[in-house]
Amino acid sequence: MPSASETASAKAPFFIDTHCHLDAAEFDADRDAEYARAVAAGVAIQIVPAISRDNFAAVAATCERYAGCLPAWGLHPMYIHVHRPEHLAELRAQIEARRPVAVGEIGLDFFVRDLDPAAQEYFLVEQLKIARDHDLPVLLHCRRANDALLKQLRRIGVRGGIAHAFNGSPQQADAFIKLGFKLGFGGAFTWPRANNLRRLAAELPLDAIVLETDSPDIPPIWLGRGRNAPGELPRIAQVLAELRGVDVGTVAAATTRNARELLGLVN
């Protein structure tokens, strides 16, 4: 595949999709085309987080094929039923074999009722220790679990990270920011009824926000229930710009700078 710099339009703002599962089966039929569409739209870097030991290889293959895709390695709380304690050693080995931009996707999900909270907290804590040991930021899944996550982050200090798909209170947002975290915003806030998210998107400091799609999930309003893709990020950024009363170039520059600084990406 061509490199991101070879494919991206010189006129397009530069965006970073900080959370994109381009390795997912939903993209098997047109992954090349969707990657090319994203890069042509200015989404020149896409962070691809793992969700379990079993998809480390798929994430690695995606990031080897596409120059703009960078990996994160982690064990996702929604797959707690497949994780085993020995997978933590495999995660460490994976990080040492191919250093990622972050440890992720990790975290807590207290929305899905049949996910054992104690098991989730065990894997979260152990992965925070791994991130701390390797001086890496974390990509946090935080569904209805912000306070529990903040408790563990205060106990086990890591080098910041991203609260992915953030949907908490202004007080929780401030607590994450004080711990060195950025807040991930994507398709969810484009829906008019998402009043809390839209208020946060408009009022939080711009230097605390990064953009994401969570492709193929969390589609923006113009896709309805359809498959999301990283090429939608510029239009998501446009909605954010409109909510904040600034131009999209301002949003692109700020969110890209935020992601670069957090993830240690070279300019």
Side-chain angles (χ1 to χ4, degrees), residues 218-235:
I218 314 186
I221 188 169
W222 52 89
L223 295 181
R225 296 181 180 273
R227 183 192 69 176
N228 200 4
E232 304 300 329
L233 199 69
R235 194 169 171 186

Side-chain angles (χ1 to χ4, degrees), residues 77-91:
M78 287 187 66
Y79 299 88
I80 200 71
H81 56 287
V82 303
H83 304 329
R84 299 292 179 267
E86 56 266 28
H87 294 176
L88 293 163
E90 295 185 47
L91 174 59

Side-chain angles (χ1 to χ4, degrees), residues 42 70 72 100 123:
L70 303 175
F123 280 96

Side-chain angles (χ1 to χ4, degrees), residues 128-161:
L128 289 175
K129 292 176 182 176
I130 290 171
R132 181 191 61 192
D133 293 348
H134 289 86
D135 191 28
L136 286 166
V138 294
L139 306 182
L140 288 180
H141 179 97
C142 44
R143 193 156 58 159
R144 295 196 181 174
N146 288 313
D147 289 338
L149 277 164
L150 287 163
K151 176 183 176 181
Q152 297 299 346
L153 291 170
R154 293 186 183 105
R155 193 169 71 87
I156 304 167
V158 296
R159 201 189 78 192

Side-chain angles (χ1 to χ4, degrees), residues 190-202:
T190 67
W191 293 80
R193 292 184 180 179
N195 294 319
N196 178 59
L197 274 178
R198 290 170 75 84
R199 183 166 52 251
L200 287 168

Side-chain angles (χ1 to χ4, degrees), residues 1 58 63 66 71 103 105 151 154 158 162 167 170 186 211 236 252 259 262 264:
M1 291 293 294
C63 294
Y66 306 114
V103 173
E105 181 175 357
K151 176 183 176 181
R154 293 186 183 105
V158 296
I162 297 172
N167 189 8
L211 295 175
I236 290 170
L262 178 74

Side-chain angles (χ1 to χ4, degrees), residues 8-72:
S9 166
K11 295 181 180 180
F14 191 105
F15 295 98
I16 296 177
D17 187 345
T18 61
H19 204 107
C20 167
H21 297 283
L22 194 63
D23 65 298
E26 287 89 340
F27 292 110
D28 283 353
D30 60 352
R31 190 173 287 109
D32 285 357
E34 285 294 358
Y35 174 76
R37 180 170 77 91
V39 173
V43 189
I45 295 178
Q46 300 159 39
I47 309 305
V48 184
I51 56 173
S52 74
R53 183 276 310 266
D54 295 336
N55 90 314
F56 286 175
V59 170
T62 299
C63 294
E64 287 165 6
R65 181 168 179 79
Y66 306 114
C69 289
L70 303 175

